[in-house]
Every structure is written in structure tokens, then in C-alpha cells.
Amino acid sequence: MPVQLKRLLILGVVLFSVFLLFKYLLTPASFGQYGHYRGLALEENAALTAKYTGSEACYDCHDSIVAVKNESLHSSIACESCHGPGFKHIEDPENEKMDQPDSREFCAHCHAFNKARPEKAITQQDIREHNPDEKCIECHNPHQPQQ
Amino acid sequence: MNPQFEHLYEALSKVDGYIYPNEIELSWSILIVLYPFITGLVAGAFILASLERVFNVKALRPTYVIALLTAFAFMLVATMPLIFHLGQPLRAWEIMITPHLTSAMAIFGFVYLWYLMVVLLLEIWFDYRADMVVWSKDAKGLKKWLYKAFSLGINDASPESRKWDDKLGYIVTVIGIPSAFLLHGYVGFIFGSIKANPWWSTVMMPVIFLFSAMVSGIALVMLVFMVLNYVRRQKIDMLCLDTIAKYLFYIIIIDFTLESLDQIHRFYEAEESFEIISLLMSGKLFVTLLIFQILLGMIIPLITLGTLQFFKPKEKIRQAIYFVTGLLVLFGIFFMRWNVVIGGQLFSKSFYGFTSFKLSLIGPEGFLMASIWLVIPFLILAFLLWLFPPWKKTQHEHLPAE
């Protein structure tokens, strides 16, 4: 065997061994436990506290508002979609208040004119032209938007 | 107004007709255009080198090493546009250590590594090994130690050992040709296999990418060869230059035929996506496709190179024509990648509308960033030419193919 081939083979074996060593050291221990991902990722995510409590939790105290909203065009929107996650408020309702967004930009998240949104399904406005200096909630009640 | 909504309204003003919300902004920009462009240059330059080595085109001998070094310099940078586009460079090694064998993208890591380590590096090493042994005796300082390290401590530069270099190098080249086809065919496969996108989804895509890669790689080596001779004030070997141009001409004919065939097939089939695609070609892509890619990048080079096959003006004029043609070809192939990558994202998959794309100057996906990744390979090439000057190699013919 010529000397260059011998040296290359040695180098090749060394490089491959280094690769295998790195693969062994860097692959997370729980990789492949359930599928092609780190198995512990599931447990780590499951251990996180849930931030959203669901609309049923709101109904316990705010039943009148929830009832109004559930009869309106916004019936399919969850309370926390606008008011934010409620996990702290449920534990300490006095000190931890929910968000009460009232800006034009907030409503525009859904109601700004967008060609890709079906107009039959969602009312849309060009927020640069539709009463530009007013707040939406001065005319529209978000819990009863059709009025 | 909230900047987020200014952005939304600006984005919406770019939209024509109906488009899904996730199609308004392009997720792949100029860095993803560069990736197939640079990979193509690598594959093309390598194939030019193998013309000399395996197919025994002796006139191309002066470009053999230049082609290999060019391919190597661009290969080192080929993954950079992808890594910088993804923006998580520290995760790049994960596709290597936890390989996902059914993902075409993940397999790229191995195709790339095979081509870089087993094909390009080994072929260059076998070609330079004996020279490095000789050079390490005269060189001083850093160069001396680099030569010693790169020759893996071997001191043998005898004719016998050179014969082995030639033999082993030849075997590597033979393995290299299908590997180069695999490397660039694979890049085409990534686009060609996306069945939701009618502009990309064609079985011709890998073949078209491969031949356009050959076109761009040959043109690049031709330019590098000419520039090197100008810089070193050497007379250009016109037989060699004419031969490169001849092969460039042949490959452009094949590439042009394949791309035309693909388009004719699209026109004749006229599937439901045909209307939006013909609007795309005559509208949004008019300049980059019809003017840049086809007229400047294909038809003019075909005419000039074709004319020079029958009519040979003076050497200086021929050199000037080759130089301009080489630049045009590279320009055209860059826009071929542009039209595939950007063009495929400009129309809605509902087939009812378009978005538009404006290239920014700065920023992670801007023109300057892309320019950096196009300049760096030339700096690497300059370094390689300094460390391994082809003109200082001992002259010897490769063994004829057995």
C-alpha cells in the first residue's frame, strides 16, 4: 500500500472517530425516546404552568358579560383572546388585573382591511380612513359589536 | 400608526388579486438565491476539471488546477447563505449528529460533506502532494509548516509516488463526477419535489439545475483563468481558452434546449396553473426572466460563442468577447436561480393573485449581505492561489486513463 494511502486512511479513521465522539457527546440523552426529537422536551413542556384558563373560569364571576358576549358576533372568540392570559387574575383578582385593550390598533388586528380575509366572514375597515381620531370602543361595544 | 400596521398596509399595497395571508411576504430571499448559484459554480467548475482528467481533453490542462481550487473556494462558502438565512448558526451541526434520513434537506449535510472531504479535498491533495513535499524544503516560516502539515508528514516525491498520486487522483475524479451530479441534481430536487408549487414542481428541475450549474461553473473558471493571466502578465493560452469556450457553447445549447423543453411542455400541457404562470412570466418576471436570463444570459452568449466557432477574429478581440460573454453567462445563471427562487414565491398558490418583492440594501437578507458571500470565495481563492500556485507546480502529464 502506498504511503499516501496509509496516511489518508489513518487521518480518515481519526476524523471519523472524532465525528462519532462528537455525535455521542452532543446528542441529548433522551433523543429518539419517542420519535426523531428530544424525549425530555415533552416532559419539560408538560411541566410548564398553563397561562390560559379558558372562558369557563371567567363565567364564575363575570357571568353577565360572558352571557352578552356569547349572544353576539364575537361569541366564538375566547375572553382571553382580547384580555390576555388569566392565570394570575384567577389567583389574585384584586391585585392582578386583566388587560383591557382599547386602542384602534388592537381592533385592527382582526378588522384592518386585508385582501386575503373573506369580507363575508369578518367586518373590515381601512383604519386610516374610518374615523381616524376616534377610539373604536367609543362607538362599538366589543362584547356586543353588532350594536 | 403602530409600526406593525404601517408594515401591514405597506405589505398589502404590494398585493394584486387574491393571496393567502402567509404568501404576502417572501420567506426565501436573496440568500436562498445565492445558495444554488454558489453550489452550481462548484459543480460546474469541478466538471470542467474532470473533462481534462477523465475525458482526456488535453487542451484544458492549464485550467485543471484553477478549476479545482475555484470549486474548493466556493464549496467552503456554499452552506453559508443557508446558515445565515436560518439565523441559528450554532444549531447547524444538529443535522449532522441527529440525521433525519427521510428529509432531503438534512441529507444535504452528508452530500456536501462527501463532496467536500472525499471528492474535492482528496483530488486537490493528490494533485499537490508531491509539490508540497518539494515546496516544504525551500519555503520559510508559515508556508513551510503549512506544507508540512498538509502533506501529512510524507517526504516522498519520487516518480513512483507521483504515479500513485495520479492513479488515486484518477479514481477520486471518477467517483467525483457522479458526486458532482448528485450535489447539484439534489439542489434541483429540493425545488422540483415541491408539488404544491407548479413553477418548481417538474422532474426536469434537477437536470436543468445540473446543466445550468455546468454553464456557470465553466464560465467562472474561464473568467478566473483570463484574469489570472492578465494579473500575472502572461500570454493567454488561446487553444485552452477556445476549448473552454467551445465546451461552454455546447453546454449552453443543452441547457437552453432543456429549459425550452420544460417551458414548451408547460405551455402545451396548460394545466390549471398555466394562466398565473404565464402572467408571472410576462409580468413580474419579465425583466429578470426574458431580458436578463434568456436574452442576456443565453441568446447573446449562444450567438457570440456560436459565431466564434466558425469565424475567428484576432486573439485580443476573441478574449474581449469571451470575457464579456463569461460575465453575461454568470449574470444570466444568477437570474435563473433568482427566477426559480423568487418567482416561485411571487404568485399565490390559490392561482388568483401576486405579491411583490423588493430587495433591501442592508439587513440580514439584504444586497450587501449577499455581496459579502459572493466576495469571500474570491478572497479564499486568492489565498489558495498564493499558498498553492498552479504555475509553480512541477510540470507533468497525468497518466492516461487506463
Side-chain angles (χ1 to χ4, degrees):
Chain A
M1 191 191 280
V3 63
Q4 53 266 56
L5 202 55
K6 268 187 207 160
R7 295 280 163 93
L8 280 179
L9 280 178
I10 294 171
L11 184 69
V13 170
V14 169
L15 287 178
F16 192 64
S17 314
V18 170
F19 171 75
L20 288 182
L21 182 72
F22 270 89
K23 183 170 160 54
Y24 173 74
L25 291 177
L26 293 175
T27 307
S30 63
F31 187 87
Q33 193 181 351
Y34 306 113
H36 197 83
Y37 55 91
R38 200 167 52 87
L40 270 180
L42 291 185
E43 287 168 37
E44 285 167 17
N45 278 306
L48 296 174
T49 323
K51 305 270 163 85
Y52 287 91
T53 54
S55 294
E56 293 78 14
C58 310
Y59 193 80
D60 290 344
C61 306
H62 305 285
D63 52 342
S64 55
I65 300 177
V66 175
V68 170
K69 188 214 67 151
N70 283 349
E71 292 297 310
S72 78
L73 282 174
H74 277 173
S75 58
S76 60
I77 315 271
C79 307
E80 289 165 299
S81 298
C82 298
H83 295 291
F87 71 115
K88 283 185 185 163
H89 177 68
I90 285 200
E91 283 172 10
D92 185 3
E94 289 303 317
N95 297 315
E96 297 287 347
K97 295 293 179 193
M98 302 290 286
D99 285 348
Q100 290 189 321
D102 62 354
S103 68
R104 290 174 66 76
E105 280 76 18
F106 187 83
C107 303
H109 275 299
C110 300
H111 295 288
F113 180 68
N114 183 333
K115 280 181 189 175
R117 272 182 196 136
E119 280 192 74
K120 280 182 198 161
I122 185 159
T123 310
Q124 294 169 56
Q125 290 292 345
D126 187 333
I127 63 163
R128 287 170 304 185
E129 290 179 1
H130 183 77
N131 300 327
D133 299 324
E134 308 287 335
K135 283 188 175 173
C136 309
I137 57 165
E138 284 171 10
C139 303
H140 308 278
N141 177 357
H143 294 133
Q144 250 179 331
Q146 61 268 54
Q147 285 191 359
Chain B
M1 198 191 296
N2 182 332
Q4 199 185 344
F5 288 97
E6 269 173 38
H7 186 70
L8 173 68
Y9 276 104
E10 196 209 317
L12 285 174
S13 68
K14 303 189 298 188
V15 170
D16 297 309
Y18 178 79
I19 189 158
Y20 297 123
N22 60 343
E23 295 172 323
I24 298 175
E25 288 214 58
L26 271 61
S27 20
W28 290 354
S29 170
I30 190 165
L31 289 182
I32 305 299
V33 177
L34 269 194
Y35 157 62
F37 183 62
I38 292 181
T39 324
L41 293 174
V42 176
F46 180 82
I47 287 165
L48 183 69
S50 37
L51 274 179
E52 192 270 341
R53 192 74 187 260
V54 177
F55 301 106
N56 243 340
V57 186
K58 285 288 163 231
L60 292 177
R61 177 73 193 139
T63 61
Y64 173 71
V65 182
I66 298 174
L68 284 183
L69 292 181
T70 308
F72 186 61
F74 277 83
M75 189 65 178
L76 289 178
V77 173
T79 53
M80 286 310 184
L82 285 184
I83 290 172
F84 274 74
H85 166 77
L86 293 171
Q88 292 282 359
L90 295 178
R91 291 188 192 164
W93 44 268
E94 285 184 11
I95 65 164
M96 305 300 295
I97 62 159
T98 54
H100 204 306
L101 299 176
T102 53
S103 152
M105 206 66 211
I107 291 301
F108 170 70
F110 291 95
V111 174
Y112 173 86
L113 202 64
W114 165 265
Y115 192 76
L116 176 71
M117 301 293 280
V118 180
V119 176
L120 265 180
L121 210 54
L122 274 191
E123 185 163 345
I124 295 174
W125 190 77
F126 280 124
D127 208 66
Y128 270 101
R129 191 201 59 82
D131 293 299
M132 287 194 291
V133 172
V134 176
W135 292 343
S136 70
K137 287 174 182 143
D138 302 329
K140 283 176 188 147
L142 178 70
K143 259 191 177 180
K144 186 184 182 77
W145 291 107
L146 284 178
Y147 291 141
K148 275 196 183 292
F150 288 147
S151 54
L152 302 181
I154 303 170
N155 276 317
D156 189 358
S158 63
E160 195 58 29
S161 70
R162 280 172 184 267
K163 264 188 197 162
W164 269 109
D165 285 336
D166 279 356
K167 231 184 230 172
L168 294 168
Y170 179 78
I171 295 171
V172 172
T173 319
V174 173
I175 300 170
I177 296 172
S179 306
F181 278 56
L182 181 69
L183 178 78
H184 211 69
Y186 147 84
V187 177
F189 176 83
I190 288 250
F191 289 100
S193 59
I194 296 179
K195 58 189 168 196
N197 190 322
W199 184 236
W200 291 340
S201 174
T202 152
V203 282
M204 296 285 279
M205 202 56 115
V207 192
I208 291 174
F209 261 62
L210 192 59
F211 277 90
S212 55
M214 283 154 95
V215 170
S216 63
I218 294 175
L220 177 70
V221 175
M222 183 171 84
L223 289 176
V224 171
F225 177 62
M226 290 174 84
V227 170
L228 263 185
N229 278 293
Y230 290 136
V231 172
R232 298 186 56 241
R233 299 175 198 285
Q234 298 284 313
K235 192 179 175 314
I236 293 183
D237 178 346
M238 281 310 286
L239 175 65
C240 174
L241 193 58
D242 285 331
T243 313
I244 307 177
K246 185 176 78 183
Y247 279 100
L248 182 59
F249 176 61
Y250 293 162
I251 305 286
I252 297 181
I253 294 180
I254 301 177
D255 187 32
F256 186 58
T257 314
L258 287 172
E259 287 189 35
S260 312
L261 196 62
D262 186 39
Q263 295 304 345
I264 292 167
H265 194 247
R266 226 188 272 276
F267 275 72
Y268 192 80
E269 269 194 343
E271 287 185 358
E272 67 266 50
S273 61
F274 176 67
E275 201 177 342
I276 190 93
I277 281 179
S278 53
L279 279 171
L280 178 76
M281 290 165 74
S282 59
K284 298 260 175 196
L285 291 188
F286 179 80
V287 177
T288 54
L289 179 71
L290 300 181
I291 310 283
F292 290 173
Q293 182 189 333
I294 297 180
L295 181 68
L296 295 180
M298 284 239 163
I299 294 182
I300 293 181
L302 270 180
I303 294 172
T304 54
L305 294 177
T307 313
L308 290 184
Q309 302 306 311
F310 304 104
F311 168 72
K312 291 238 183 295
K314 281 184 196 150
E315 288 189 0
K316 285 277 169 208
I317 300 177
R318 247 149 68 212
Q319 287 175 17
I321 294 178
Y322 288 149
F323 194 80
V324 175
T325 307
L327 287 177
L328 280 180
V329 164
L330 283 180
F331 182 77
I333 298 293
F334 176 82
F335 276 99
M336 183 263 174
R337 314 307 194 212
W338 175 282
N339 291 324
V340 170
V341 174
I342 304 292
Q345 302 171 84
L346 286 180
F347 65 94
S348 168
K349 281 8 142 223
S350 65
F351 303 154
Y352 285 119
F354 292 101
T355 184
S356 37
F357 173 67
K358 196 172 138 197
L359 179 65
S360 52
L361 182 66
I362 49 174
E365 297 268 340
F367 175 79
L368 286 180
M369 186 69 169
S371 310
I372 288 174
W373 292 120
L374 265 188
V375 170
I376 287 178
F378 287 102
L379 298 181
I380 297 176
L381 180 61
F383 173 74
L384 289 174
L385 287 169
W386 169 77
L387 192 61
F388 306 114
W391 46 90
K392 285 193 185 158
K393 280 171 72 67
T394 31
Q395 290 301 318
H396 86 289
E397 289 286 308
H398 285 139
L399 287 178
E402 284 162 21

